Amino acid sequence: MAFDRIRALFVTSAVLLVACGGGPAADAIDRETFIAAYVDLRVAALETDSARLADGDRAEVLSRHGVTADDLTFFAEAHATDLEFMRDVWNEIELLLDRDPDAD
C-alpha cells in the first residue's frame, strides 16, 4: 500500500514536471545565447593561425555572452534527445558560419 502511494506520488511529480516545462532543458541557457556564443567561439578560433583559442580568449568570448563552457555543454546535453531541435540549432550555426562577414 505504501509502495503504491510512493509510486503514485512519483508518477504525479514526473507528469507535473514535464507539463510545467521542468527538467534539464528548462535550466539550460536559451537557444539564441547558445548559438551566438558557439558561433563567436568558432569565428574567433578560425581567426587564429592554429584554429584554436587560447584559454584567455575563450574566457573573453564566453564572458561577453554571459555563459560558461559548462553552460554550453549543459545546453547540448539537455537537448540531446530532441533531435529535430538540435538539427535546427546546428543548421543555424552552420548558416551563420557560412555567411559573408562583410554582409553585415
Side-chain angles (χ1 to χ4, degrees):
M1 182 108 165
F3 178 74
D4 288 334
R5 283 186 179 175
I6 293 171
R7 185 172 56 181
L9 180 60
F10 176 75
V11 170
T12 302
S13 297
V15 168
L16 289 174
L17 185 64
V18 170
C20 294
D27 295 330
I29 59 175
D30 63 61
R31 179 182 190 273
E32 291 76 22
T33 301
F34 176 84
I35 291 171
Y38 191 88
V39 167
D40 284 355
L41 285 167
R42 290 304 309 140
V43 168
L46 293 171
E47 291 174 346
T48 68
D49 291 337
S50 65
R52 297 185 62 148
L53 280 178
D55 290 340
D57 295 332
R58 182 180 303 107
E60 188 276 323
V61 171
L62 293 171
S63 176
R64 194 171 354 127
H65 290 281
V67 298
T68 65
D70 288 341
D71 291 333
L72 298 181
T73 301
F74 185 78
F75 175 92
E77 290 172 350
H79 294 286
T81 59
D82 189 346
L83 300 180
E84 199 170 312
F85 175 82
M86 287 306 292
R87 181 202 61 214
D88 292 343
V89 167
W90 293 118
N91 283 345
E92 186 169 341
I93 288 169
E94 185 176 347
L95 287 172
L96 291 169
L97 290 172
D98 286 344
R99 75 171 193 253
D100 181 3
D102 296 326
D104 292 335

